[in-house]
Amino acid sequence: MASLAAVAGSFALPRPRTVAACVAPCAHRFIHLPSLARRPTTSSLAVCSSNAIREDPIFRPQAVLQVRHRTFRKKMTKPQKRYFKWVEKLKQEGLEPPHVERPVMENKFWKVVGNMKIYKNVSPGSTHRRHPTRFHLHRGSCIRRLSYGKRSTGGRNNRGRITVRHRGGGHKRRVRKIDFHRDIPGPHEVVRLEYDPNRSAELALLRNLSTNEFSYVIRPLDLNPGDIVQSWRRGIPEPAEGEEAIPRNQMIAKGNCLMLKDIPVGTEIHCIGLRPGGRAQLCRSAGASAQLLYTGETGFAQVRLTSKEVRLIPVEACATIGKVGNEAHQHRNWGKAGAKRRRGIRPTVRGIAMNPVDHPHGGGSKSKGGKDPRSPWGWKTKGWKTVRRKKTYVLKTKRQAKLAR
């Protein structure tokens, strides 16, 4: 035992006499004090400046004194330059530049500017995160009997093969049964506004004032709880004897559902049907709308979509007055990849980063090999036309409208 103790004592390290002698090797090798090595404090610099550290042949003060470089600041963008140039021009002319009043709410983690909720830089995932405000929406769950559970498919068909890529996982959802037909006539009161995880637009819960039945519809812009909407899907009723006809401003109020032949020309519409008696199919996403260019008692009406495409739609088809709400949805930013995973969206891998066996763009060194953009199955993409037949219901295509500008 004595011999073992003697051998162990010969290999024992000398006991340090000062605190600085303990800190210096650890700070240099980033072992026990990583916070001191990354960002030196006043006390650590005082310890490092002692004579014991200077005498250590292994220690280098530059390893501890490294400080993070100054944050890079982006240059002013072209729209910002144009805006400030316009403001300077107004000042030279003696005019006051317009000032937009925007309500601001703020706390430690986020702030509200206008109708956008912008998260602060408190974590990497919240640096660029922003989305429209939802303070006006119902905080509870949806009505049980007007919804059903959604079975997740993971992008697979009934044979188990992937037919839609980049799908899978995500939070559980319930599908809301939305009334796209609006067949029940009579006045309906807006009870509340709700969030729908399955679409970009918001929902409005309606209550039929005669039957007290509830139903969901796409919420038009500026439609609030307490408003009354009408459904004249089967035509505007004739006034009784001694009664006046329905005024036009009441007829084309936001949220009312009418046939295209009963809507004045130039009105902004959404939730448009494509056949008589059919459900609404066009302009159902957030901020979408169309304009009625021509209509009549019979035949087809001309409707100009947001893409400037003009379509022919039967005049007996339905449409809702107004524009779809939640128009700030296009300015959202999820902030991190995990937010998209919670919505059931899986990562997308570029074809140029694959092997030749997996994609036509694979292989080589950061090059497609001179090939046109193609899908994983060899079909041309990004501008290659796949539909050759003429669409008889399109009066003016998007390309024709673009060239006519």
Side-chain angles (χ1 to χ4, degrees):
M1 295 295 293
S3 60
L4 291 175
V7 173
S10 62
F11 287 100
L13 295 175
R15 187 174 183 180
R17 297 180 181 178
T18 61
V19 179
C22 296
V23 174
C26 298
H28 169 65
R29 296 181 179 87
F30 299 92
I31 299 175
H32 299 292
L33 298 175
S35 60
L36 176 63
R38 289 197 212 104
R39 187 173 295 178
T41 59
T42 307
S43 59
S44 64
L45 291 177
V47 172
C48 293
S49 62
S50 63
N51 296 329
I53 295 181
R54 293 173 182 174
E55 293 175 359
D56 190 353
I58 304 177
F59 178 71
R60 297 182 182 88
Q62 291 81 4
V64 174
L65 297 178
Q66 287 179 353
V67 182
R68 185 178 298 176
H69 63 84
R70 189 176 181 181
T71 305
F72 175 74
R73 178 167 292 184
K74 293 179 64 176
K75 297 181 180 179
M76 189 181 299
T77 60
K78 290 184 178 179
Q80 290 174 340
K81 291 180 180 179
R82 288 196 297 265
Y83 173 75
F84 288 116
K85 188 176 180 180
W86 175 63
V87 171
E88 288 294 332
K89 186 178 179 180
L90 289 179
K91 290 182 179 179
Q92 291 176 2
E93 296 176 357
L95 302 176
E96 187 69 21
H99 180 68
V100 181
E101 291 289 343
R102 294 178 177 175
V104 177
M105 299 170 53
E106 188 172 4
N107 64 7
K108 182 179 178 181
F109 302 101
W110 48 262
K111 65 178 180 179
V112 176
V113 180
N115 58 349
M116 291 294 295
K117 187 175 183 179
I118 303 174
Y119 288 80
K120 296 184 179 180
N121 187 12
V122 296
S123 67
S126 65
T127 302
H128 303 289
R129 184 185 177 192
R130 61 182 62 199
H131 60 77
T133 56
R134 302 183 184 132
F135 301 113
H136 58 286
L137 300 181
H138 177 60
R139 297 181 67 89
S141 59
C142 61
I143 296 181
R144 191 80 178 178
R145 59 186 175 84
L146 292 180
S147 62
Y148 60 92
K150 182 179 181 180
R151 290 292 299 271
S152 177
T153 61
R156 284 144 173 96
N157 60 2
N158 58 345
R159 299 177 59 189
R161 297 180 179 270
I162 295 178
T163 55
V164 181
R165 299 188 300 161
H166 318 136
R167 297 286 180 89
H171 201 283
K172 288 185 178 181
R173 300 181 181 181
R174 291 192 67 84
V175 180
R176 278 71 169 171
K177 300 177 182 178
I178 302 178
D179 184 13
F180 287 120
H181 291 274
R182 303 284 297 271
D183 286 329
I184 303 176
H188 294 71
E189 181 188 5
V190 180
V191 179
R192 67 192 184 199
L193 307 177
E194 294 188 12
Y195 170 79
D196 190 355
N198 304 295
R199 66 191 71 251
S200 59
E202 299 167 349
L203 301 183
L205 180 65
L206 303 183
R207 180 178 69 90
N208 194 330
L209 297 181
S210 58
T211 62
N212 282 336
E213 287 291 332
F214 291 94
S215 61
Y216 282 122
V217 295
I218 300 292
R219 182 215 173 189
L221 187 64
D222 297 333
L223 188 71
N224 300 313
D227 295 347
I228 302 297
V229 297
Q230 297 277 352
S231 178
W232 292 305
R233 173 66 186 268
R234 301 174 184 176
I236 299 177
E238 294 292 336
E241 295 183 2
E243 294 183 359
E244 296 182 356
I246 301 175
R248 172 165 293 193
N249 58 350
Q250 181 181 349
M251 184 176 62
I252 60 172
K254 293 181 179 179
N256 290 353
C257 183
L258 299 89
M259 289 192 291
L260 289 176
K261 64 181 181 180
D262 297 328
I263 301 177
V265 174
T267 307
E268 197 174 34
I269 55 178
H270 69 278
C271 286
I272 308 167
L274 294 179
R275 56 184 60 88
R279 61 186 177 90
Q281 294 179 258
L282 297 180
C283 301
R284 304 193 320 194
S285 60
S289 65
Q291 188 179 17
L292 184 63
L293 300 181
Y294 170 80
T295 186
E297 291 297 327
T298 57
F300 292 87
Q302 298 180 12
V303 177
R304 181 167 60 195
L305 306 179
T306 310
S307 61
K308 307 303 179 183
E309 178 179 299
V310 180
R311 286 201 176 194
L312 297 176
I313 301 176
V315 294
E316 292 84 6
C318 67
T320 305
I321 307 297
K323 182 180 182 180
V324 182
N326 197 24
E327 57 182 353
H329 176 76
Q330 60 176 337
H331 303 300
R332 78 199 184 285
N333 191 335
W334 299 131
K336 60 181 182 179
K340 301 195 73 174
R341 295 303 298 264
R342 289 195 294 266
R343 287 164 176 81
I345 303 175
R346 300 188 69 246
T348 302
V349 180
R350 296 170 295 123
I352 200 173
M354 299 183 186
N355 293 325
V357 70
D358 299 319
H359 201 280
H361 296 168
S365 176
K366 298 182 179 179
S367 173
K368 300 178 184 177
K371 301 176 184 177
D372 295 330
R374 294 176 183 272
S375 69
W377 305 276
W379 294 91
K380 288 188 177 182
T381 57
K382 294 186 178 179
W384 181 258
K385 294 183 179 180
T386 57
V387 178
R388 299 296 178 182
R389 61 183 177 83
K390 182 176 177 59
K391 299 178 180 178
T392 56
Y393 52 85
V394 176
L395 191 63
K396 180 186 290 187
T397 61
K398 292 183 287 186
R399 179 176 176 80
Q400 293 173 351
K402 185 177 180 180
L403 295 175
R405 294 178 186 175

